[in-house]
Amino acid sequence: MATTVRSTASEARLHLDPKLSGRGMLDGGWWPYSTDPLAELPALITALDARVGTVYRIVLNEKHWQSTPRRITVSGHTVRLGWHGPTDVHEISVSGAGRDRLDLLVVPPDTSEASAEAAMAVAARGSNSSHGTSILDEAGVGGTVRSAS
């Protein structure tokens, strides 16, 4: 059964590669306000629907989230949620109508604004060549979790 959630008043803190060239390791960065997927995903889905097309599936790593719902309904459409990857715990993969897949850095909610903005800017650079954990380390974000090799 899908969980129905109305979009919250807060907007997603999201930076995307303006060209969405697909040449970088990541297509952008997202900085959620909390680790509650039911509170955070509606704003992200709404923002991505408007910018890149309808989102159908998001794959997250369960390590940093309070719960693991299987589906969420936002603005009348259901998005399936997967919890088995991606390999880097600081990334999510988004599938939708506008592109086959977007890979996004996930900045921990308790990150300082300066560090979060710096990390998202690197992730949104079309030529980025690092995974999420490395980008966060370079931006000085403490407490990043290393991915399993």
Side-chain angles (χ1 to χ4, degrees), residues 11-98:
E11 292 184 17
R13 297 182 288 190
L14 176 68
H15 291 254
L16 293 177
D17 171 5
K19 296 180 183 176
L20 289 175
S21 65
R23 291 193 173 116
M25 184 73 66
L26 297 168
D27 300 295
W30 172 48
W31 183 25
Y33 294 91
S34 75
T35 59
D36 180 356
L38 296 177
E40 299 301 328
L41 289 173
L44 175 65
I45 292 165
T46 299
L48 290 172
D49 281 352
R51 292 181 67 186
V52 298
T54 303
V55 172
Y56 293 115
R57 180 173 172 80
I58 300 176
V59 179
L60 308 96
N61 190 301
E62 65 187 329
K63 176 111 179 113
H64 294 292
W65 299 97
Q66 293 175 9
S67 63
T68 56
R70 304 304 288 171
R71 290 178 174 75
I72 187 171
T73 300
V74 178
S75 301
H77 79 275
T78 299
V79 177
R80 292 181 303 142
L81 304 175
W83 295 96
H84 48 78
T87 305
D88 190 306
V89 298
H90 297 288
E91 295 177 17
I92 63 171
S93 292
V94 179
S95 301

Side-chain angles (χ1 to χ4, degrees), residues 99-120:
R99 288 181 49 98
D100 289 340
R101 187 174 102 183
L102 291 175
D103 294 311
L104 301 175
L105 165 71
V106 179
V107 177
D110 60 351
T111 302
S112 72
E113 184 173 357
S115 294
E117 289 291 333
M120 289 190 296

